[in-house]
Amino acid sequence: MNVAGPAYDEEAVDLGEITGSLGFLLRMAQLKAFDFFFRTLDGENLRPGEFTVLWVINLNPGLRQGTFARRLKIKPAHMTKLVARMVDQGLVHREIPQDDRRSVRLSLTEGGSAFVARYREKFLHLHLAERSDLTVEESATLIHLLKRYAGIDGDGPCL
Amino acid sequence: MNVAGPAYDEEAVDLGEITGSLGFLLRMAQLKAFDFFFRTLDGENLRPGEFTVLWVINLNPGLRQGTFARRLKIKPAHMTKLVARMVDQGLVHREIPQDDRRSVRLSLTEGGSAFVARYREKFLHLHLAERSDLTVEESATLIHLLKRYAGIDGDGPCL
DNA sequence: TATTGTTATACTCTATAACTATA
DNA sequence: TATAGTTATAGAGTATAACAATA
């Protein structure tokens, strides 16, 4: 059972068929991606989830809070806290429209736009770093298949 | 009430270049995979992370707690709580070896083995369900690329 | 009555540091 | 001193339900 493995002092751990589990692999891959993220943006006051929200508001100013939340699969209660924090940081502007005063429409402040602009390059550059061990073609395939699986853009009914 | 169609009343949200971000896609994919998981195992007292730990202990009985934790990228403090819970549930057995009494060696109890055996099929069957929208070939490619990216099994130094 | 968002609570996972008991 | 694991604390993310204001 004991083949000459890579780590002599570390006991070898057989993962068995669980390596065929998409859920397991997604978790391990996400840990690696986050590792890249935080290593690259070390010291910056920036978290992946928050930047994504700012990014999408920047591209779609004036849409309702719930619309953003559903699209990014963020729960309403969590979205409230996220938005409140960003408002406190002076990045996001909330507006209650007269035609439906239950709703909240979101847009970025000048500071918010500047924030997105400032980190845009780092964020996009990160995509290359994330792919490190794969070839350019393999990366493109991985991105494509993940989009398909997650139902983003592509063909399906992408609510 | 709103019947047919991909929601005409829902405002369209442009995600822009962030759909090329591996981190973003991994998060969206993981949400979908977890959704499958909990829908398939609805009502069962089973969480993906916990089952994975039991699974790996079952395949490698007697290894040290820290070895399992490092391999599954679980932090020591969290691992302690996970193991304590499983011991309380009568699934896991802890043993302090005489040659190094700082360490803890883990194995499954009879109940633990039975637990893994009982859910094994559901867990493996889930892998097929997870892939739903992709062809068999695409699924295999996705699994392969994720393994490569995450550094699991394959070629690299898989600590 | 239904919907939009908020508040409150709780639990999981993560991060960190201080601690123990061994080595 | 260093290591294996524990304890304690804090924060983010998620889930849920009850709630207010509005439709």
Side-chain angles (χ1 to χ4, degrees):
Chain A
M1 58 156 81
N2 219 333
V3 191
Y8 288 108
D9 55 339
E10 178 76 17
E11 302 166 301
V13 182
D14 177 18
L15 297 177
E17 297 164 79
I18 211 167
T19 61
S21 161
L22 187 53
F24 176 74
L25 290 174
L26 286 172
R27 177 175 178 272
M28 300 303 270
Q30 196 175 39
L31 286 175
K32 176 152 184 171
F34 274 38
D35 206 49
F36 268 119
F37 184 92
F38 288 112
R39 207 182 313 145
T40 304
L41 287 86
D42 189 35
E44 310 282 1
N45 182 27
L46 183 59
R47 269 165 297 179
E50 289 185 2
F51 186 81
T52 300
V53 173
L54 290 174
W55 173 276
V56 177
I57 295 175
N58 190 45
L59 282 178
N60 307 269
L63 298 191
R64 283 174 300 159
Q65 179 170 316
T67 303
F68 289 118
R70 275 188 296 279
R71 183 67 196 265
L72 297 177
K73 298 192 181 176
I74 296 170
K75 291 286 178 293
H78 185 212
M79 191 66 176
T80 295
K81 279 187 276 187
L82 273 179
V83 170
R85 199 189 302 154
M86 291 168 176
V87 169
D88 287 347
Q89 292 175 309
L91 301 174
V92 166
H93 173 69
R94 291 162 42 102
E95 186 179 354
I96 312 294
Q98 287 308 311
D99 62 309
D100 184 350
R101 297 181 43 221
R102 295 171 304 181
S103 64
V104 177
R105 295 198 172 267
L106 301 178
S107 54
L108 294 193
T109 62
E110 269 192 34
S113 295
F115 189 89
V116 170
R118 182 152 61 96
Y119 287 112
R120 176 195 171 88
E121 266 187 61
K122 280 197 175 182
F123 210 81
L124 296 182
H125 175 267
L126 191 64
H127 304 170
L128 298 175
E130 283 172 345
R131 296 169 193 174
S132 58
D133 287 355
L134 301 181
T135 67
V136 173
E137 195 179 25
E138 286 170 333
S139 296
T141 302
L142 178 54
I143 294 285
H144 173 71
L145 289 176
L146 282 173
K147 274 190 192 176
R148 290 266 317 278
Y149 177 74
I152 290 183
D153 270 330
D155 332 81
C158 176
L159 171 72
Chain B
M1 208 105 62
N2 216 329
V3 190
Y8 287 109
D9 57 340
E10 179 76 19
E11 304 165 299
V13 182
D14 177 18
L15 297 178
E17 298 165 79
I18 210 167
T19 60
S21 160
L22 187 53
F24 175 75
L25 290 174
L26 285 172
R27 177 175 178 272
M28 300 303 271
Q30 195 176 39
L31 285 174
K32 176 152 184 170
F34 273 39
D35 205 50
F36 267 118
F37 184 92
F38 287 113
R39 206 182 314 144
T40 304
L41 285 87
D42 189 35
E44 311 281 2
N45 182 27
L46 184 59
R47 269 166 296 178
E50 289 185 2
F51 186 80
T52 299
V53 173
L54 290 174
W55 174 275
V56 177
I57 295 176
N58 190 45
L59 282 178
N60 307 270
L63 297 193
R64 282 175 300 157
Q65 179 171 315
T67 303
F68 289 118
R70 276 187 296 279
R71 183 66 196 266
L72 298 177
K73 298 191 182 178
I74 296 170
K75 291 285 179 295
H78 186 210
M79 191 65 175
T80 294
K81 278 187 276 188
L82 274 179
V83 170
R85 199 188 303 154
M86 291 169 176
V87 169
D88 287 347
Q89 292 175 310
L91 301 174
V92 166
H93 173 69
R94 291 162 42 100
E95 187 178 354
I96 312 294
Q98 287 309 310
D99 61 311
D100 183 350
R101 297 179 44 219
R102 296 170 305 180
S103 65
V104 177
R105 297 197 170 267
L106 301 177
S107 55
L108 295 192
T109 62
E110 269 192 34
S113 295
F115 188 90
V116 170
R118 181 152 62 97
Y119 288 113
R120 178 195 169 88
E121 267 186 62
K122 281 197 175 180
F123 210 81
L124 296 181
H125 176 266
L126 191 64
H127 304 169
L128 298 174
E130 283 173 345
R131 298 171 192 174
S132 59
D133 287 355
L134 302 180
T135 68
V136 174
E137 195 179 24
E138 287 170 332
S139 296
T141 302
L142 178 54
I143 295 285
H144 173 71
L145 289 176
L146 282 173
K147 274 190 193 176
R148 289 268 315 280
Y149 177 75
I152 291 183
D153 269 331
D155 332 82
C158 177
L159 171 72

